[in-house]
Amino acid sequence: MPIRQLSETMINQIAAGEVIERPASVVKELVENALDAGASKVEVVTAGGGLNLIRVTDDGSGIPEKELALAIARHCTSKLSDDIHDIRSLGFRGEALPSIGSVARLSIRSRTASGDSAAEIGIDGGRVLPVKPAAANRGTTVEVRDLFFATPARLKFMKGERAESSATGDVVKRIAIAFPAVRFTLAGPDRSTLELPATDDTPEGRLARVAQVMGRDFPDNAIAIDAAREGVHLAGHVSIPSYTRANALQQYAYVNGRPVRDKLIAGAIRGAFADVLPRDRHAVTVLFLSLDPSTVDVNVHPAKADVRFRDPGLVRGLIVGAIREALAGAGIRAATTGAAGMMAAFRPGAAPYSHAGPANGHRSYEAAYHASGSGGFDPLRSAQRPLDMGYGEPRPRSNGFAENEQAAFDTGPLASADVRAGMAEPTEALLGMVLGAARAQVHENYIVAQTRDSLVIVDQHAAHERLVYEALKNALHARAVPSQILLLPEIVDLPEEDAERLAMHSDTLAKFGLGLERFGPGAVAVRETPSMLGETNVQQLVRDLADEIADNDTVETLKERLDKIAATMACHGSVRSGRLLKAEEMNALLRQMEATPGAGTCNHGRPTYIELKLADIERLFGRR
């Protein structure tokens, strides 16, 4: 078949396959155009899930009549200068309008601030209609009807109206978070109206917009993020570890104001919360990255949802470090939704209160600590005792408490009653602490504490597990990890570029106990492995590290494996369920929880305590 030039309509339909995937894609492109035009109000109307009708109206600068024909021509744009590396607008490719017009019936009606009247132009399945006069206020209205009528094969891949409407709503919400000073409205016969009033472009205004989109609970359960490194600034909010979701749909990320779905950012968020959330739970986040446009490539895909950073390691390190620092500095906090769950459970006929934990098939933390027996972790008999780990001579078990607090565990008989009676009246200072003063222990596992205005219930095993884990992690990462020398070096064959990457990170890997060096052009020789890993699959470990370095330029895989071992040791070395505690012991546990980062959840992501405000209790009894 001879080579021939494709028609303009065919070219636009091919481009539409990349730019216009579904109705939500159309809404995204049109709303971005409205924002680039300086709109302060954007109204979106849909019908039939967006397949029958999409109408986007704005009060922006408008399009002059003489430029309407150019607006629907391929690769015509007012947003791009001569430098492709200096992109400061949401749109810039000049493909959206001609792509939409090639697969639908498109009309654009616009009027500038200085224009006496409006003008309208249309495209019907790629056929351009002449410009004609129209009546309209200042701004632009773009109407798309019968989406994909010109490419009926694409219609077979569309989901139901409800799913398409939901995707459209998600697009509008994601964009709205980045532009709090703009009023957004989304309406139509197939959906309830979504209205997001304008706030202001201040930290308070941005948080107010986030609350409009994500619900009023989020600000009460969020921690502010504000960090910078080498010209990259990170701001926003992340949820506390006890406030989570079953999926990552409520993780919003923005690069220079552009909504993105970037795997590097998603991986960094996952890494930052790795040891405070269950595997099947996800943090709620709103993060804004600001950096020089020349250091990020937004022209990776026509949909502009993917980006590439010049220094991905810098961006990932900033996100992980900033979130972990914010979590550590926020102190201990319980999710406000926990009290609501407790109140619902207390009401007659309610289902038992529970917290979502590991998914079916994952070992629960209760099973983990019951399987270890009632004696707990004993450093004198364990194969992973501190002496083997290189942390000095083994000492009597301290369960993670400071020396003056450990005395409470080692002296005097333990009481035998479930609920302590005759306990000394708590001082005003203890009542003013975050977790208050211990008043009782019930069912030999739960500590009941009192603050000035609330009741606190603490799971003693889960709480102490977190304390021991943090102590082990600090000891683990405070010095080089002890290693064991292999009798015969393990030779791992790799692509040459992977071997080079591993060699470049050899000094960092040595700190974690993995000693390796180049062994020819396409292999590395592993001479030492971390002693904590015991007998491990060296080949798989090295390949996993090579893959991670290629993706993220980090060696977090090895660190995460060591942290998992520390988590297992913490689980076996913690205060057991069924161990009776004295008042001094319970208060010592509460005080150390308040001083330990991440103590609001255990190593498995379950909450360590729940707080019920006095006002909530009074409502349960009809006193309010």
Side-chain angles (χ1 to χ4, degrees):
M1 181 178 292
I3 297 174
R4 62 187 179 87
Q5 177 72 46
L6 295 176
S7 67
E8 189 67 21
T9 299
M10 182 73 72
I11 292 172
N12 287 334
Q13 288 179 344
I14 292 173
E18 296 181 309
V19 179
I20 310 303
E21 299 175 0
R22 60 194 306 185
S25 305
V26 176
V27 173
K28 172 183 177 293
E29 296 293 341
L30 299 182
V31 171
E32 287 181 348
N33 283 345
L35 294 171
D36 284 338
S40 61
K41 297 177 183 178
V42 178
E43 178 183 337
V44 182
V45 177
T46 64
L51 293 172
N52 296 340
L53 169 68
I54 297 173
R55 182 189 301 121
V56 177
T57 304
D58 68 69
D59 62 349
S61 58
I63 305 172
E65 180 179 350
K66 62 181 180 179
E67 295 182 5
L68 281 175
L70 282 176
I72 60 172
R74 187 170 165 82
H75 298 316
C76 293
T77 180
S78 62
K79 306 169 187 178
L80 191 62
S81 65
D82 293 333
D83 187 0
I84 188 64
H85 303 293
D86 187 25
I87 298 174
R88 301 179 183 272
S89 57
L90 296 175
F92 59 89
R93 297 175 62 96
E95 286 185 316
L97 292 178
S99 296
I100 296 170
S102 68
V103 296
R105 294 182 172 92
L106 170 73
S107 67
I108 304 174
R109 186 168 61 253
S110 188
R111 178 180 176 180
T112 62
S114 58
D116 296 331
S117 62
E120 181 177 348
I121 193 171
I123 313 179
D124 192 341
R127 182 171 61 88
V128 179
L129 305 177
V131 178
K132 62 182 181 181
N137 295 324
R138 175 181 179 269
T140 302
T141 298
V142 181
E143 193 171 280
V144 180
R145 292 185 178 274
D146 302 329
L147 185 62
F148 299 128
F149 89 94
T151 53
R154 177 61 65 91
L155 286 172
K156 298 178 183 178
F157 297 92
M158 294 298 105
K159 298 181 180 179
E161 289 187 12
R162 185 181 298 273
E164 297 300 340
S165 295
S166 177
T168 298
D170 181 63
V171 163
V172 173
K173 290 175 182 178
R174 286 185 178 274
I175 297 175
I177 288 177
F179 295 87
V182 179
R183 179 179 180 271
F184 290 86
T185 304
L186 175 60
D190 54 351
R191 60 172 304 117
S192 58
T193 300
L194 170 69
E195 189 165 345
L196 303 174
T199 60
D200 53 78
D201 200 7
T202 63
E204 295 76 16
R206 287 192 289 271
L207 186 58
R209 170 54 61 84
V210 170
Q212 292 174 2
V213 172
M214 304 177 68
R216 291 176 295 178
D217 285 336
F218 179 71
D220 296 332
N221 296 280
I223 306 168
I225 301 290
D226 192 354
R229 184 185 300 174
E230 298 181 25
V232 182
H233 181 251
L234 177 68
H237 290 80
V238 298
S239 62
I240 59 177
S242 52
Y243 183 85
T244 61
R245 289 289 183 269
N247 55 48
L249 292 179
Q250 287 201 323
Q251 290 183 356
Y252 297 88
Y254 302 85
V255 176
N256 290 341
R258 180 189 306 278
V260 298
R261 294 182 182 271
D262 186 75
K263 68 176 184 178
L264 182 143
I265 296 176
I269 294 172
R270 192 165 52 248
F273 283 91
D275 59 357
V276 295
L277 296 183
R279 288 187 178 182
D280 60 339
R281 303 298 293 180
H282 301 266
V284 182
T285 63
V286 179
L287 297 177
F288 298 90
L289 275 167
S290 301
L291 65 166
D292 188 332
S294 64
T295 62
V296 58
D297 183 5
V298 300
N299 193 26
V300 177
H301 188 273
K304 305 183 291 296
D306 299 326
V307 295
R308 294 291 182 272
F309 298 100
R310 180 179 296 177
D311 190 346
L314 169 65
V315 174
R316 189 183 194 281
L318 174 62
I319 295 173
V320 173
I323 292 177
R324 288 182 175 174
E325 183 178 352
L327 292 175
I332 186 167
R333 289 172 58 184
T336 59
T337 53
M342 280 187 69
M343 290 183 66
F346 281 135
R347 293 189 179 97
Y353 173 74
S354 63
H355 181 276
N360 293 336
H362 293 289
R363 191 183 187 195
S364 68
Y365 81 109
E366 291 97 338
Y369 69 68
H370 282 306
S372 65
S374 60
F377 171 72
D378 188 346
L380 296 177
R381 60 178 171 82
S382 172
Q384 294 172 326
R385 61 187 188 273
L387 181 62
D388 293 337
M389 293 165 58
Y391 300 133
E393 293 298 324
R395 297 180 297 176
R397 190 175 73 216
S398 66
N399 293 316
F401 287 96
E403 292 182 5
N404 60 334
E405 297 165 341
Q406 177 61 28
F409 281 90
D410 298 333
T411 61
L414 292 174
S416 59
D418 274 349
V419 181
R420 304 289 183 259
M423 185 178 292
E425 193 66 23
T427 65
E428 188 65 22
L430 285 180
L431 292 176
M433 305 295 284
V434 175
L435 297 180
R439 301 306 303 264
Q441 182 192 25
V442 296
H443 294 297
E444 302 178 350
N445 185 53
Y446 300 102
I447 298 170
V448 180
Q450 173 190 350
T451 70
R452 290 195 183 102
D453 63 350
S454 65
L455 173 73
V456 177
I457 303 176
V458 178
D459 182 331
Q460 69 186 38
H461 172 77
H464 196 232
E465 184 179 359
R466 166 62 65 178
L467 303 184
V468 175
Y469 177 49
E470 292 297 329
L472 283 172
K473 279 203 309 181
N474 291 337
L476 183 65
H477 302 305
R479 66 188 73 183
V481 175
S483 61
Q484 56 186 7
I485 299 176
L486 301 180
L487 185 62
L488 294 174
E490 184 94 21
I491 308 302
V492 183
D493 293 320
L494 296 164
E496 186 171 351
E497 57 272 18
D498 284 346
E500 179 64 28
R501 294 189 190 102
L502 286 167
M504 291 175 61
H505 286 78
S506 59
D507 291 342
T508 303
L509 292 170
K511 295 179 181 178
F512 290 106
L514 185 68
L516 56 79
E517 59 188 30
R518 289 294 297 269
F519 190 80
V524 295
V526 179
R527 302 188 182 279
E528 301 176 41
T529 60
S531 58
M532 286 181 68
L533 293 181
E535 292 187 12
T536 187
N537 187 335
V538 177
Q539 297 273 343
Q540 189 61 47
L541 174 62
V542 171
R543 289 192 171 92
D544 288 348
L545 286 168
D547 290 341
E548 181 176 0
I549 293 172
D551 283 343
N552 303 318
D553 197 32
T554 65
V555 292
E556 288 293 312
T557 295
L558 185 54
K559 177 178 178 296
E560 289 173 1
R561 291 196 182 190
L562 298 178
D563 284 347
K564 286 180 181 177
I565 293 175
T568 301
M569 296 174 64
C571 186
H572 288 267
S574 302
V575 174
R576 286 284 162 271
S577 290
R579 179 173 180 179
L580 299 172
L581 305 178
K582 295 191 300 183
E584 295 88 345
E585 297 171 325
M586 291 187 283
N587 279 312
L589 181 65
L590 299 180
R591 300 291 79 77
Q592 194 163 2
M593 284 177 66
E594 293 167 347
T596 302
T601 59
C602 74
N603 311 343
H604 310 281
R606 292 180 177 268
T608 57
Y609 77 99
I610 295 173
E611 183 177 16
L612 191 60
K613 293 295 183 181
L614 181 59
D616 295 330
I617 299 174
E618 290 177 339
R619 277 197 293 269
L620 284 173
F621 287 97
R623 297 171 64 92
R624 286 198 174 193

